Amino acid sequence: MSHSHELVIKSSMSRPPPPPPTTNKDQQRQNPSLQEINIKLIQSGEKERLKELLRERLLECGWIDEMKALCRAFTRKKGRNNVTVDDLVHVISPKGRSSIPDSVKAELLQRIRAFLASTAD
Amino acid sequence: MSSKINGHVSPQPCPHLLVFRSRNGPKPFRALQDCIRVKPPGGRAAIRREPTEVPRCGTCEESSRSRLYACVACAAVFCHAPLLHSHASDHSLSIPGHEIAVDVDRAELFCCACGDQVYDRDFDAAVVLAQTVNATATTSTSGSTAMQCSVAGSQPENLRKRRRVDYRPWEPDSGEHISRGNQSIPLLDAANASLVSSTQQPWGLRGLNNLGNTCFMNSILQALLHTPPLRNYFLGDRHNRYYCQQKNGAINGTKNSRLCLACDMDALFSAVFSGDRTPYSPAKFLYSWWQHAANLASYEQQDAHEFFISMLEGIHEKVEKDKRKSQSPAGSGDCCIAHRVFSGILRSDVMCMVCGFTSTTYDPCVDISLDLEPNQGGSGKSSSAKSLNSFNVEADCMRPNQNCGISTLKGCLERFTRAEKLGSDQKLFCQKCQVRQESLKQMSIRKLPLVSCFHVKRFEHSSIRKMSRKVDRYLQFPFSLDMAPYLSSSILRSRFGNRIFPFDGDEQDASNDLSTEFELFAVVTHSGRLDAGHYVTYLRLSNQWYKCEDAWITQVNESIVRAAQGYMMFYVQKVLYYKESENQGTS
C-alpha cells in the first residue's frame, strides 16, 4: 500500500478560521481562500515541513501502526489479490480521521496560524 | 497473480499497464523520470514538471486535494477521490490509453481504471536512484572491507535457482519406520542406564568444575557445546585432534609444540558427550586458552563475552596458519568453523545531511552488542524524535505510548537498526561535499550467521568518571525470533517505500539463502556485582531447559529462564534446530 494520506490537513483546512465580525471591505484581503492558503504553503515550502512534522507525530503516537494493522486485517479478510489502493483508502479514511489525537491537530493548526500571521501582507 | 523474483513478490501488471507498455516502447516512463524531484536530499520523491510547480487538477482547479495524479500519456494533472469525485477516472474513461497515471506527491504509478497501484521496474529504479543521489561505487570511510553498492535498473532479473521450501520437521516414512525398528538399537540401552540419571537427561549434559573463578569460561563452553552446527562439526570428527597433532609435529617430542584450541575443543566434546555424567575439569582447555590469550591468563574473574571472542579468534588463528592466506571474502565463513557458525555481515549506511550522498560499508561480525535503553519507562519520544523521517523510518517500533517500561531484545534490535543522527561533534567526511558534514547513520544486517549471538552491554565503563558499573535492568527475550525486519533489504525497503527493488544479484542472495527465523538454545546470565559476580548458562534441549552452574546441572521450568537476567543470548537458524520428541528410547 502507499504511504498514509495526509487527511488531517485537508479536514482542518476545509474549516478556515471564522471571519471577524466587521464588514469592512478590507476583510476581503484578510480572508484568503483555501486555495490561496494552500498555494502560499506550498510555495514557501511550509507545507512540506508541516507534512514531515505530521508524519513524525503520527508515527510517535502509533497512529501509523494502527492504520497499517487495519489495512492488514482488511487485506487478510478480502484476500491479497482482491484489494486495491482505493479500497484501502476508502476503508481506513473514516477511522483514520477520527483517531487523530487532538494534540496533533492543535499543534498543526497552531503552526498554520502562525505561518499565516507571519506572512500576512 | 504475483510471481516471486529473488524471493520477493513482484506484482503482475494490470491489463491497462500491459497495453500501455506495448504501445509506448520498452521504456515508457523515460520522460517521467526527468520530473522526479527529491527534497530534502535523500528524502521523499515527488513528480513535478518544474521544480516550483504547484500541481492542481485540470478540471476543478483545486490544488488542495490529498491525491493528485498526472496522466503519463498527456501529463495532465487530475484529482482522485473515488467516492466524491475523481477527475482522474473521468479522464481515463474519456480517452483510451490514458489509464496510467503517477501520484505527484508519492511518485507511485497508478492505474485509474483498476483503482490500484502498479509497478514498473525501470521507473522504480529511477526513483530509488534519485533518492540515493549517487549510484556510483562507494568507498569505505572506515578503511575496512568495502563492497560496491550499485543501484542498477538495467541488470537482468536474477531468478532464484532454488525454490524456497518451508521448514517441516522430519517424519519417517513407512520404509524408514521399519528399518528403525529392526536394525537400530536405542542409544540408551540397559548397559548405559546406570550412568544415566533417572530423569533420562539428554546426551551431552555434563557439569564443568570451577577451577578458580572460571565460571566465565564454563558458561560459554556449555553454550558452545550445544551450539548445533559446532556440536555437529566436532562430533562428526571434522577436526580430529590426533590427526591434527600428528600433522603439527607433536611427534617431535616437544610437548604442546603446536597450540590448537580446536583440538582442545575436540577433546572437550568427546569428554562431555561420552555418556559419563560426572563433572569434568576443563583444565587442559584453560591452560591452552591462557597460552593463546596471555594477557587474560590469571585466576581473576573475566568477562564471559571477552572469553567468547578470544576463543573464536583462537580457533580461527590456528586454522589460518595451516592454509595459505584465505581468498574468501570477509564474513563468508569459509576460513574456519568458528566463523562458519557465527560470522555475519553488518551493513552501515552513512548519509550526508547536506547533499544526501550515502556511503555504504560492510563489516563482518561474530556477534551483535546491544545497548540497553537509556531510560526505562520514560518518554519514548526523546528516542524516536532522533530518528529523522528523511530516512522514512516507519519501522515496527515499540509504540512509546504503550511503553510499560520493559526492555525487550526486539526493542534493542530495533534501536540498533534505527537511523541515527550523529552529533555535531561527530561530523563525517562527505565524498561529494569534500568537507565534514553532519550525517545520518543506519545499521542493518546484510547477511545472517548460522548462529546469532546477542551480547547485552551490561558493563558500563565510564572513562570520565573513571569507574565501571553494571546495569541490572531486566531484558525480555523471545524463545523464537524472526530477524527479517533487521535485514538490509527490509531496512532499505522501509527507507524507500513501495518499490520493485533493483538490487544487484549479490544483495538478494545474501539474505534469501537461509531463513530468517531463529530459535533460542542458550542463555548466559550474570548475577552479582561487576567485580564479584557469577555466570550461569541455561540450555534448551529437547524443549526442556537445563540450568548449568559449573558442576551442577538441573532441569528447570522455562519461566525461570524467562525471568533470568540475560547477558548473552544464542539463537540458531530454525532449520538447524530440531525440537526432538519428548520421548527418547521409544521405537
Side-chain angles (χ1 to χ4, degrees):
Chain A
M1 59 165 284
S2 43
H3 300 283
S4 47
H5 301 264
E6 280 68 42
L7 309 160
V8 169
I9 297 242
K10 183 176 187 226
S11 66
S12 67
M13 289 190 68
S14 61
R15 286 196 295 278
T22 59
T23 53
N24 199 312
K25 219 193 265 183
D26 290 315
Q27 295 317 310
Q28 199 69 17
R29 235 181 296 135
Q30 282 180 15
N31 286 342
S33 69
L34 181 60
Q35 277 276 51
E36 288 169 21
I37 294 175
N38 189 49
I39 291 174
K40 245 196 207 174
L41 284 170
I42 294 176
Q43 285 177 333
S44 63
E46 182 69 6
K47 189 168 190 191
E48 197 52 49
R49 285 189 288 271
L50 287 170
K51 277 193 181 180
E52 283 300 331
L53 173 66
L54 179 61
R55 276 188 204 108
E56 198 173 319
R57 292 289 178 259
L58 292 178
L59 176 68
E60 284 169 3
C61 70
W63 184 91
I64 290 182
D65 291 333
E66 259 178 66
M67 293 304 114
K68 275 192 187 172
L70 285 173
C71 289
R72 262 186 227 120
F74 178 77
T75 306
R76 230 174 273 140
K77 203 170 64 174
K78 282 296 233 28
R80 196 166 55 170
N81 296 324
N82 302 331
V83 171
T84 67
V85 168
D86 282 348
D87 290 338
L88 290 172
V89 172
H90 174 225
V91 162
I92 69 170
S93 289
K95 299 180 195 176
R97 284 193 200 195
S98 58
S99 64
I100 306 268
D102 288 337
S103 58
V104 176
K105 285 189 200 168
E107 187 178 356
L108 277 153
L109 273 171
Q110 164 62 24
R111 280 283 293 260
I112 295 170
R113 281 205 195 96
F115 169 78
L116 290 174
S118 70
T119 61
D121 298 340
Chain B
M1 273 288 283
S2 48
S3 60
K4 284 198 180 197
I5 295 175
N6 287 333
H8 297 292
V9 177
S10 181
Q12 297 283 35
C14 72
H16 310 98
L17 181 64
L18 282 172
V19 168
F20 183 83
R21 274 193 190 140
S22 68
R23 287 210 197 130
N24 290 281
K27 300 214 173 180
F29 304 104
R30 186 63 197 84
L32 199 55
Q33 291 171 11
D34 295 333
C35 302
I36 299 174
R37 318 277 172 194
V38 178
K39 287 199 279 200
R44 290 173 180 261
I47 300 290
R48 299 283 186 272
R49 277 172 290 190
E50 303 296 324
T52 53
E53 178 192 3
V54 175
R56 60 173 80 228
C57 176
T59 306
C60 62
E61 304 279 319
E62 281 295 327
S63 62
S64 58
R65 301 288 180 222
S66 61
R67 292 166 77 188
L68 284 169
Y69 290 91
C71 174
V72 183
C74 65
V77 177
F78 300 101
C79 61
H80 181 66
L83 294 187
L84 304 175
H85 47 248
S86 171
H87 296 132
S89 295
D90 295 342
H91 176 73
S92 69
L93 288 169
S94 66
I95 311 180
H98 286 228
E99 295 89 4
I100 307 299
V102 63
D103 184 321
V104 299
D105 284 325
R106 293 174 188 87
E108 289 168 352
L109 295 174
F110 187 80
C111 174
C112 299
C114 299
D116 201 11
Q117 187 169 358
V118 291
Y119 303 86
D120 179 80
R121 178 166 292 274
D122 296 322
F123 178 71
D124 281 347
V127 174
V128 173
L129 207 84
Q131 283 179 300
T132 51
V133 175
N134 203 325
T136 56
T138 60
T139 53
S140 162
T141 53
S142 64
S144 54
T145 320
M147 277 139 88
Q148 294 235 4
C149 171
S150 61
V151 174
S154 55
Q155 293 275 11
E157 288 171 10
N158 211 344
L159 295 171
R160 272 177 62 80
K161 299 178 186 119
R162 290 190 293 273
R163 197 170 50 89
R164 169 176 265 150
V165 176
D166 290 321
Y167 168 76
R168 264 197 332 267
W170 174 81
E171 297 279 3
D173 61 25
S174 50
E176 283 160 339
H177 235 298
I178 295 171
S179 53
R180 265 179 78 195
N182 290 349
Q183 288 148 24
S184 57
I185 49 168
L187 284 174
L188 304 169
D189 59 13
N192 284 329
S194 53
L195 291 172
V196 176
S197 70
S198 55
T199 56
Q200 290 244 335
Q201 280 189 347
W203 235 201
L205 269 188
R206 192 171 179 188
L208 297 172
N209 285 321
N210 189 313
L211 306 172
N213 282 330
T214 58
C215 60
F216 70 91
M217 178 181 79
N218 289 343
S219 57
I220 294 293
L221 287 180
Q222 289 287 13
L224 294 177
L225 283 164
H226 293 276
T227 296
L230 206 63
R231 175 201 65 205
N232 297 345
Y233 178 85
F234 283 103
L235 290 183
D237 204 30
R238 300 288 300 277
H239 186 101
N240 186 309
R241 60 186 178 277
Y242 303 111
Y243 180 66
C244 177
Q245 283 170 7
Q246 193 178 40
K247 223 167 46 142
N248 295 328
I251 49 179
N252 284 352
T254 51
K255 228 163 71 160
N256 299 323
S257 54
R258 289 294 289 274
L259 159 68
C260 179
L261 274 179
C263 286
D264 298 313
M265 274 247 80
D266 187 44
L268 189 64
F269 270 98
S270 296
V272 167
F273 281 83
S274 65
D276 186 351
R277 300 284 179 182
T278 58
Y280 178 73
S281 293
K284 171 81 173 56
F285 191 92
L286 180 66
Y287 183 61
S288 295
W289 177 67
W290 275 348
Q291 288 188 297
H292 165 72
N295 57 323
L296 299 171
S298 76
Y299 277 115
E300 280 171 16
Q301 286 199 20
Q302 310 284 355
D303 177 28
H305 179 245
E306 260 190 77
F307 171 74
F308 172 68
I309 299 293
S310 103
M311 244 212 73
L312 295 185
E313 274 172 13
I315 293 177
H316 173 79
E317 203 184 85
K318 169 61 185 65
V319 172
E320 270 239 314
K321 276 186 191 140
D322 289 344
K323 304 179 185 163
R324 61 188 165 166
K325 202 66 182 166
S326 184
Q327 303 288 343
S328 58
S332 67
D334 292 338
C335 48
C336 66
I337 183 61
H339 284 111
R340 177 79 187 99
V341 174
F342 290 101
S343 190
I345 301 176
L346 286 181
R347 171 180 167 143
S348 166
D349 292 312
V350 176
M351 186 182 92
C352 169
M353 297 196 63
V354 172
C355 71
F357 176 80
T358 304
S359 161
T360 301
T361 56
Y362 294 99
D363 288 304
C365 64
V366 292
D367 65 358
I368 298 181
S369 290
L370 298 167
D371 290 298
L372 283 166
E373 270 163 30
N375 44 344
Q376 179 192 14
S379 52
K381 263 193 186 174
S382 59
S383 49
S384 65
K386 265 181 86 179
S387 69
L388 297 190
N389 285 320
S390 55
F391 251 5
N392 293 346
V393 178
E394 285 183 322
D396 295 339
C397 53
M398 240 178 41
R399 301 206 290 181
N401 64 339
Q402 266 192 351
N403 202 340
C404 42
I406 297 182
S407 304
T408 65
L409 179 65
K410 295 185 81 158
C412 290
L413 283 168
E414 195 278 315
R415 261 198 324 284
F416 180 74
T417 54
R418 190 183 291 176
E420 190 191 322
K421 183 174 168 191
L422 300 177
S424 48
D425 53 332
Q426 293 173 278
K427 287 186 186 172
L428 292 177
F429 185 80
C430 170
Q431 232 99 23
K432 208 154 172 265
C433 300
Q434 288 290 308
V435 288
R436 285 182 178 273
Q437 302 281 22
E438 291 205 343
S439 314
L440 197 67
K441 179 173 170 177
Q442 189 166 32
M443 303 291 302
S444 56
I445 301 176
R446 202 256 201 202
K447 176 179 163 248
L448 289 165
L450 295 182
V451 175
S452 287
C453 171
F454 299 112
H455 164 235
V456 179
K457 293 188 195 167
R458 290 192 177 279
F459 301 115
E460 285 182 356
H461 304 285
S462 164
S463 50
I464 309 158
R465 294 158 77 188
K466 291 231 170 23
M467 55 180 259
S468 313
R469 69 180 189 100
K470 186 192 168 198
V471 183
D472 276 307
R473 188 178 320 130
Y474 171 71
L475 180 77
Q476 192 210 72
F477 49 90
F479 283 12
S480 302
L481 177 65
D482 189 353
M483 293 293 288
Y486 317 110
L487 291 179
S488 300
S489 51
S490 304
I491 296 293
L492 286 164
R493 191 165 296 114
S494 69
R495 198 189 292 169
F496 292 114
N498 229 18
R499 309 273 163 212
I500 293 180
F501 263 97
F503 275 125
D504 46 9
D506 250 359
E507 289 277 357
Q508 297 295 57
D509 289 342
S511 56
N512 283 332
D513 264 4
L514 301 167
S515 143
T516 57
E517 292 175 77
F518 285 76
E519 286 291 317
L520 179 70
F521 67 91
V523 182
V524 173
T525 66
H526 183 272
S527 53
R529 297 197 316 267
L530 192 74
D531 52 344
H534 189 49
Y535 287 102
V536 166
T537 298
Y538 292 95
L539 295 174
R540 186 181 181 195
L541 303 166
S542 312
N543 234 5
Q544 293 278 11
W545 282 96
Y546 297 89
K547 177 179 177 182
C548 305
E549 191 170 358
D550 288 327
W552 297 273
I553 300 190
T554 47
Q555 189 174 332
V556 293
N557 192 290
E558 68 167 54
S559 55
I560 304 276
V561 182
R562 287 196 195 277
Q565 191 190 94
Y567 177 55
M568 291 173 73
M569 277 78 78
F570 293 79
Y571 288 83
V572 66
Q573 298 249 351
K574 189 175 163 185
V575 293
L576 299 174
Y577 177 76
Y578 295 101
K579 290 185 193 171
E580 302 160 31
S581 63
E582 304 293 333
N583 314 323
Q584 289 185 353
T586 56
S587 63

